[in-house]
Amino acid sequence: MRIHLTQVFVDDQAKAQRFYTEVLGFLTKEDEPIGAARWLTVVSPEDPDGPELLLEPSGHPAVGPYKEALVQDGIPAASFAVHDVGAEYERLRALGVRFTQDPLEMGPVTTAVLDDTCGNLIQIVHRRA
């Protein structure tokens, strides 16, 4: 068994697609209309056949309070592995990305947390071997 698909709930799918592809560097894998929304997934360019991230519309009534509570408490909705948190932090800040947590070393792990502009906090992480 392996992870095939997971999601983040986004306020605006077009805005999310731009952020996740043009800023974070993911690739659009699926983009199919389904009623008023789209089946919109992105993947890592390092693993285009790997796990997909669904940019899921925040339409369900439970999603708003859930996302607000996570953001208020500083809890990331997702965590993405990077090769160098410090370098990625500097690259993303230069693109105007707002971080809610600067790079922080915790034992063998370095993390930082960013605002995805679509209602979520996203953690970037690197684990040293």
Side-chain angles (χ1 to χ4, degrees):
M1 188 177 306
R2 62 184 175 85
I3 296 171
H4 168 68
L5 178 79
T6 190
Q7 86 276 338
V8 291
F9 294 104
V10 298
D11 301 336
D12 178 314
Q13 284 186 300
K15 181 179 178 183
Q17 184 179 28
R18 282 189 305 276
F19 183 82
Y20 280 79
T21 59
E22 296 173 15
V23 177
L24 295 185
F26 290 105
L27 303 174
T28 299
K29 175 93 177 203
E30 302 276 346
D31 189 355
E32 297 295 329
I34 51 170
R38 296 152 56 194
W39 181 263
L40 178 59
T41 68
V42 295
V43 294
S44 169
E46 296 175 20
D47 191 8
D49 294 320
E52 296 175 48
L53 179 67
L54 175 63
L55 303 177
E56 177 88 18
S58 295
H60 189 281
V63 172
Y66 168 75
K67 284 174 54 174
E68 290 169 17
L70 289 179
V71 170
Q72 182 176 348
D73 290 345
I75 299 171
S79 182
F80 303 143
V82 297
H83 296 289
D84 182 334
V85 170
E88 194 65 13
Y89 170 83
E90 292 301 332
R91 181 186 80 79
L92 293 171
R93 277 183 28 128
L95 293 172
V97 173
R98 184 178 74 83
F99 279 80
T100 62
Q101 176 201 303
D102 293 339
L104 177 64
E105 289 189 25
M106 298 176 285
V109 175
T110 302
T111 66
V113 178
L114 61 94
D115 178 343
D116 79 348
T117 73
C118 303
N120 302 290
L121 298 179
I122 301 296
Q123 179 181 69
I124 56 174
V125 62
H126 174 76
R127 175 177 293 277
R128 290 175 297 288

